[in-house]
């Protein structure tokens, strides 16, 4: 029973930390261009010699 007294607050703290990091990322516009990374992998950036 004493293990739960430690594990529950730790789990709640980690969840709150994850939520805070998520909101920080939203505030700093980390998720604005979701399609850009998917499209960049398809673009061939090698220059043709000619």
């Amino acid at each position: 029973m004493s293990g739960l007294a430690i594990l529950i607050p730790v789990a709640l703290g980690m969840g709150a930390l994850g939520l805070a990091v998520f909101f920080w990322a939203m505030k700093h516009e980390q998720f604005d261009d979701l399609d850009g990374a998917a499209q960049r992998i398809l673009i061939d950036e090698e220059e043709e010699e000619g």
Side-chain angles (χ1 to χ4, degrees), residues 3-16:
L4 286 177
I6 295 171
L7 291 177
I8 290 175
V10 168
L12 289 174
M14 289 176 65

Side-chain angles (χ1 to χ4, degrees), residues 5-29:
I6 295 171
L7 291 177
I8 290 175
V10 168
L12 289 174
M14 289 176 65
L17 179 65
L19 192 61
V21 169
F22 173 73
F23 283 128
W24 175 87
M26 291 292 291
K27 183 178 178 182
H28 288 87
E29 301 172 352

Side-chain angles (χ1 to χ4, degrees), residues 16-44:
L17 179 65
L19 192 61
V21 169
F22 173 73
F23 283 128
W24 175 87
M26 291 292 291
K27 183 178 178 182
H28 288 87
E29 301 172 352
Q30 296 293 314
F31 301 114
D32 280 353
D33 186 20
L34 296 177
D35 293 329
Q39 297 297 325
R40 268 192 304 264
I41 199 168
L42 299 175
I43 297 172
D44 188 18

